[in-house]
Amino acid sequence: MYKDFDIKDINLTKYLFFTGKGGVGKTSLASSLAINLADSGKKVVLVSTDPASNLQDVFGTELDNKGKEIKDVPNLTVSNFEPEAAVADYKESVIGPQRGKLPDAVIESMEEQLSGTCTTEVASFNEFSYFIANDEVAEKYDHVIFDTAPTGHTLRMLQLPSAWTNFLDENVYGASCLGQLSGLDEERGVYKKAVDNLANGELTTLILVSRPVDSALKEAERTSIELQELGINNQMQVINGVLKEHDDELSTSIYNMQDQVMSNMPEGLKKLDTYEIPLRSYNISSIDKLRTFLTNEEVKNDAEQVEDLNLDNIGSLQDVVDDLYNSGKKVIFTMGKGGVGKTTIAAAIALSLAEKGKKVHLTTTDPAAHLKYVIDESEDITMSYIDEDKELEKYREEVVGKAKESGASQDDIDYIEEDLRSPCTQEIAVFRAFADIVDRSEDEIVVIDTAPTGHTILLLESTKNYNKEIARTQGDTPESAKKLLPRLKDDKYTEVLIIALAEATPYYEAMRLQEDLNRAGIFSKWWIINSSYYATDTTNNILKAKADNEAEWIKVINDTSDGNTALIKWIPEELKGKSLKKLL
């Protein structure tokens, strides 16, 4: 229906951003393009702005935020925004010049102030600006390719240049925000250049990546419109994973479904140049395979044979639901890499628990909020999502109102209002809403479809810094916030379900999540493998090859979970409402 994505036929600008719904293949596409351009003699830097990036798995190299040259790909440098490293560098840039000049107690206070989650946002922004606005980078590289985070985080990242600039323009007292904005004013020229470069169609292209699935295309349309509102109009679309052949029941169902979806392209996407990439039979998990990802070159199926894999010993989603019901869990999270199916699985669990007679509240902390596409409210299921803009405005009104009630001077109120205009305040407002939702678990089961892994962990970790940030802005600490951390750490009360696919990258991402949960003391028992071709009886060559590649990862995941694994077969339709029961 559309032309194949061929770099020889496409005018590629200097700065290329890949964005889209989690799991659509942004990393594979960005990495493959970077390798192919480097192979053609171009000097390329590939940058990830995603806290949950998996580029280190793709290139088999430990990466940092400074950039590492890739030995097997001359001309290619890869940089990964590691939040901890970025924060450490930024903190030192603020505090370092003051060591020896200020008393130790003041330095210690500065370090404490810079421990909040907002510092991560500021530090990431600084690094982002370096790659898009630095003259040395522009001169050194022919292309700067950004493998961006899933859509909600990407939009926030792209809004940051104007957000910080506006704050600095309007702040007559100087940047405050826990001290995290210290020193930003001297970088105003860099931020202005970042804004200008983002909106310059001759320099920058936004590549919307999606799959031939209705929800992914709707997400791409929403992203496209919001980007245009930011002044970023140079966009193209790539539809990844298009099945080209069909010869059995499953492949024919998939082929017909994707044909219908693409024939009804959302209006907001119809004017974009659109390309497609065929569904590949192999996992895109090595440099050699990334080289062929954008070509039609045949790749030998090197799936490892697994002799002792018995699906009879692996559970189902119904087993997970029964276990949650019998154990009396009150707070249930679905967590995992973007695109693994957290939303549909959370909705299916909520529906099943409601049918067992439980009162259930289903919610999401994901800014993209896809719940409304898969399930409706009912007598036993209530739903919500955190609207960041509304929560921010509500929090602003509360803080300013309390300041006025306490008799604060107009100068003090002006200062508070200016501080509340900073992007840092959003994290506090969202956290409060999250705590309120978990508080509903006193009267009902709360099922939480979380944002992709990096954002989720940051949100949970923010409990440690929450009280001090609330005190800074003169707000109150609600009772729900005081109860939150003990509830999350109570293994009789809260459980995290880890959602993955039977592939290398989702597995490694899930393992990092498991390690984070262990460190945080948050209980996790079940691993759920979603959308498995291995669990179907397909005979189609492409799908059968993908199924063969899954076997070793199903076994690895089952071993990792000590046998607490549930397997969900690939279902060739978008599940909504009662049809979610097909996942059980």
Side-chain angles (χ1 to χ4, degrees), residues 5 7 25-39 46 54-61 63 70 72-73 76 78 147 240 277 280 282-299 302 505:
F5 186 88
I7 62 175
K26 296 185 298 293
T27 297
S28 297
L29 184 50
S31 301
S32 181
L33 180 60
I35 291 169
N36 279 278
L37 286 172
D39 286 346
L46 173 63
N54 59 321
L55 283 178
Q56 66 275 8
D57 301 326
V58 170
F59 289 97
T61 302
L63 300 172
I70 303 301
D72 296 329
V73 190
L76 178 61
V78 179
D147 167 34
N240 186 28
I277 298 174
R280 303 303 184 189
Y282 49 89
N283 290 332
I284 319 299
S285 55
S286 68
I287 290 174
D288 287 341
K289 288 178 179 176
L290 283 166
R291 278 196 167 98
T292 64
F293 180 60
L294 294 179
T295 72
N296 291 318
E297 182 181 339
E298 288 292 325
V299 175
D302 54 0
T505 297

Side-chain angles (χ1 to χ4, degrees), residues 290-458:
L290 283 166
R291 278 196 167 98
T292 64
F293 180 60
L294 294 179
T295 72
N296 291 318
E297 182 181 339
E298 288 292 325
V299 175
K300 182 181 177 183
N301 185 9
D302 54 0
E304 189 175 310
Q305 294 299 311
V306 180
E307 304 294 339
D308 57 344
L309 180 60
N310 184 357
L311 293 188
D312 292 338
N313 297 328
I314 295 179
S316 66
L317 188 60
Q318 184 66 61
D319 293 324
V320 177
V321 171
D322 291 342
D323 188 47
L324 293 169
Y325 177 82
N326 293 330
S327 62
K329 291 297 189 319
K330 300 295 301 251
V331 178
I332 301 162
F333 290 91
T334 56
M335 289 190 187
K337 180 178 168 58
V340 296
K342 299 184 297 294
T343 300
T344 52
I345 290 173
I349 289 170
L351 181 66
S352 297
L353 289 172
E355 289 184 346
K356 285 177 171 287
K358 296 292 187 180
K359 192 165 184 59
V360 181
H361 184 74
L362 176 62
T363 191
T364 181
T365 63
D366 189 340
H370 304 292
L371 282 177
K372 59 188 176 185
Y373 297 131
V374 297
I375 194 170
D376 295 320
E377 287 193 329
S378 67
E379 185 176 337
D380 297 316
I381 297 178
T382 55
M383 288 167 50
S384 65
Y385 75 98
I386 294 177
D387 185 319
E388 295 190 353
D389 291 337
K390 287 183 179 179
E391 294 300 332
L392 181 58
E393 184 58 33
K394 185 168 69 174
Y395 184 66
R396 281 173 173 164
E397 291 176 358
E398 177 186 322
V399 171
V400 172
K402 287 185 179 298
K404 290 179 178 178
E405 289 174 9
S406 68
S409 69
Q410 188 59 48
D411 282 349
D412 287 340
I413 292 171
D414 289 343
Y415 179 85
I416 291 169
E417 286 182 333
E418 284 165 358
D419 195 29
L420 287 169
R421 278 199 290 269
S422 75
C424 298
T425 308
Q426 192 166 38
E427 196 70 45
I428 303 171
V430 170
F431 178 85
R432 283 161 53 96
F434 174 74
D436 287 342
I437 286 170
V438 171
D439 199 44
R440 297 178 65 126
S441 61
E442 290 189 357
D443 303 313
E444 55 194 332
I445 295 175
V446 176
V447 179
I448 303 173
D449 162 42
T450 61
T453 312
H455 182 268
T456 299
I457 296 301
L458 288 174

Side-chain angles (χ1 to χ4, degrees), residues 77 198 266 306 400 426 455 469 509 552:
T77 299
L198 279 169
V306 180
V400 172
Q426 192 166 38
H455 182 268
E469 296 199 13
E509 183 67 33
E552 65 171 302

Side-chain angles (χ1 to χ4, degrees), residues 546-583:
K546 291 186 73 65
D548 292 342
N549 280 304
E550 287 182 1
E552 65 171 302
W553 294 106
I554 294 173
K555 186 175 188 308
V556 167
I557 289 172
N558 197 43
D559 291 343
T560 300
S561 69
D562 293 327
N564 295 308
T565 297
L567 187 67
I568 300 173
K569 71 178 181 179
W570 210 102
I571 298 174
E573 62 182 279
E574 293 211 51
L575 301 178
K576 299 177 182 179
K578 295 295 184 181
S579 67
L580 288 164
K581 293 171 69 174
K582 293 182 179 181
L583 294 172

Side-chain angles (χ1 to χ4, degrees), residues 166-186:
N166 291 342
F167 180 70
L168 293 171
D169 285 342
E170 298 167 9
N171 190 339
V172 297
Y173 293 105
S176 57
C177 190
L178 262 177
Q180 283 112 327
L181 300 183
S182 302
L184 287 191
D185 193 43
E186 65 192 43

Side-chain angles (χ1 to χ4, degrees), residues 18-23 26 50-52 148-156 219 337-339 366 368 452:
F18 288 87
T19 187
K21 188 176 185 293
K26 296 185 298 293
D50 188 350
T148 60
T151 310
H153 185 273
T154 298
L155 291 175
R156 189 174 177 190
E219 179 73 11
K337 180 178 168 58
D366 189 340

